[in-house]
């Protein structure tokens, strides 16, 4: 019995020592992952800054040349416009990557203020309506009258709406894109939905599209372009603002992305 007790004690100590080693390894692995994530975020921040500076110069000089006009041929003006437009496209991609890095590192902050949702929606429609000029797609807003203002981050909420409406326009070749706001009996905005009659999303991909660099299927990025970052950023921004973002879709009939606004202002 004494020998058995001694052996049991030895086995117990060995198990405890092995558990302590595993815990120490887990702690070290966690620290290493945090260091790697910090290094990645720092790298993206630095590279984004280094890339944005010359891109802003390219865009600025292209705009300056276009504003001066002159007697240059139409083809030359077209080339300069392409330089400007492609520079702005690259700048948008860099900003998306930077936003993802900030969210992952916990460095992206929201600034709360009073937001007129109706004015915000109408402003986004006015900003993007040139995209449907001359196309069989209508872009419109359905906003209740006399709504109350809410407390949120107007800049980030506009960014989410621009992402959602921009996506809807990209994947809708004919029909309509509607930004629909609902409010409760007191006139407080409850939801903002972006409804399109586009290509739709397969049911098995409805959650995957909110992951970075994911799209509805492999052919989507080839056919329509994009990095697959817009929805991931939009979802994370909604969470920071206390909102929820979800989607309903039927392939071939269209999609509805809905922002559920919080009843109370989010914590900063």
């Amino acid at each position: 019995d004494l020998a058995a007790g001694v052996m049991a004690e030895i086995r117990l100590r060995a198990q405890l020592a092995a558990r302590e080693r595993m815990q120490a390894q887990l702690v070290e692995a966690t620290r290493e992952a945090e260091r790697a994530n910090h290094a990645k975020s720092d790298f993206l921040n630095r590279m984004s800054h280094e890339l944005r500076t010359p891109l802003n110069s390219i865009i600025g000089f292209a705009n300056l040349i276009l504003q001066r006009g002159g007697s240059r041929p139409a083809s030359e003006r077209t080339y300069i416009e392409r330089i400007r437009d492609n520079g702005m496209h690259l700048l948008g991609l860099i900003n998306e990557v930077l936003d993802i890095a900030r969210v992952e590192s916990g460095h992206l902050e929201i600034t709360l203020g009073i937001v007129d949702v109706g004015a915000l929606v109408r402003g986004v429609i006015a900003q993007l309506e040139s995209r449907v000029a001359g196309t069989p797609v209508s872009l419109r807003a359905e906003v209740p009258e006399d709504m109350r203002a809410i407390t949120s981050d107007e800049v980030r909420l506009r960014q989410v709406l621009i992402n959602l409406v921009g996506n809807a326009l990209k994947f809708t070749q004919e029909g309509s894109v509607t930004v629909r706001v609902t409010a409760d009996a007191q006139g407080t905005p409850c939801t903002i939905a972006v409804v399109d009659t586009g290509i739709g999303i397969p049911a098995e991909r409805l959650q995957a599209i909110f992951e970075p660099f994911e799209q509805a299927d492999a052919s989507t990025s080839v056919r329509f372009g994009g990095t697959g970052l817009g929805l991931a950023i939009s979802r994370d921004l909604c969470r920071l603002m206390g909102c929820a973002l979800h989607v309903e879709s039927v392939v071939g009939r269209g999609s509805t992305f809905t922002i559920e606004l919080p009843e109370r202002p989010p914590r900063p």
Side-chain angles (χ1 to χ4, degrees):
D1 291 343
L2 179 61
V6 171
M7 293 300 296
E9 180 70 19
I10 292 174
R11 285 195 296 270
L12 179 59
R13 291 183 178 181
Q15 290 173 356
L16 291 174
R19 183 178 299 174
E20 289 176 356
R21 287 195 299 271
M22 290 179 62
Q23 289 177 340
Q25 292 171 356
L26 180 60
V27 169
E28 181 58 31
T30 301
R31 290 175 179 170
E32 184 63 31
E34 290 175 350
R35 286 194 291 267
N37 189 56
H38 178 76
K40 180 195 71 174
S41 298
D42 184 60
F43 170 77
L44 288 174
N45 275 305
R46 292 175 183 272
M47 286 303 298
S48 296
H49 175 73
E50 293 298 324
L51 290 170
R52 284 192 298 177
T53 300
L55 270 176
N56 278 318
S57 295
I58 292 170
I59 295 168
F61 281 119
N63 280 325
L64 183 62
I65 294 172
L66 290 171
Q67 290 169 4
R68 287 184 174 179
S71 57
R72 59 178 53 87
S75 60
E76 184 176 322
R77 183 177 179 85
T78 300
Y79 297 150
I80 298 171
E81 288 174 345
R82 288 180 181 175
I83 292 172
R84 179 199 60 191
D85 293 344
N86 281 289
M88 293 177 67
H89 176 66
L90 286 175
L91 187 60
L93 297 180
I94 292 168
N95 287 334
E96 286 184 341
V97 172
L98 183 58
D99 277 344
I100 284 288
R102 285 174 175 169
V103 170
E104 290 181 348
S105 63
H107 292 156
L108 192 147
E109 300 178 354
I110 61 172
T111 303
L112 299 180
I114 303 302
V115 180
D116 182 335
V117 174
L120 176 62
V121 169
R122 286 187 284 268
V124 170
I125 295 293
Q127 181 177 344
L128 299 178
E129 62 185 358
S130 62
R131 296 192 186 183
V132 299
T135 72
V137 179
S138 63
L139 175 61
R140 59 178 180 262
E142 295 179 1
V143 181
E145 297 293 333
D146 301 324
M147 285 194 303
R148 293 181 176 180
I150 64 171
T151 300
S152 189
D153 186 324
E154 183 171 358
V155 173
R156 294 302 183 180
L157 188 55
R158 179 184 290 107
Q159 181 179 352
V160 172
L161 276 177
I162 289 174
N163 273 336
L164 296 180
V165 177
N167 268 359
L169 293 174
K170 181 166 62 174
F171 297 118
T172 302
Q173 296 179 316
E174 62 179 359
S176 64
V177 173
T178 304
V179 183
R180 182 176 299 139
V181 182
T182 64
D184 62 18
Q186 288 73 42
T188 302
C190 299
T191 65
I192 307 173
V194 178
V195 185
D196 68 61
T197 59
I199 62 175
I201 305 164
E204 66 274 10
R205 299 292 297 171
L206 288 178
Q207 295 305 314
I209 59 172
F210 290 105
E211 298 300 323
F213 305 107
E214 291 285 345
Q215 294 192 349
D217 58 54
S219 64
T220 301
S221 60
V222 176
R223 183 180 174 189
F224 296 98
T227 60
L229 288 174
L231 288 177
I233 294 170
S234 297
R235 180 197 58 181
D236 289 335
L237 289 178
C238 281
R239 286 176 177 172
L240 286 173
M241 293 185 291
C243 306
L245 176 61
H246 57 82
V247 59
E248 297 175 349
S249 185
V250 177
V251 173
R253 296 181 60 183
S255 305
T256 300
F257 286 84
T258 303
I259 304 170
E260 293 184 359
L261 301 171
E263 295 181 2
R264 297 181 180 84
R267 294 179 60 188

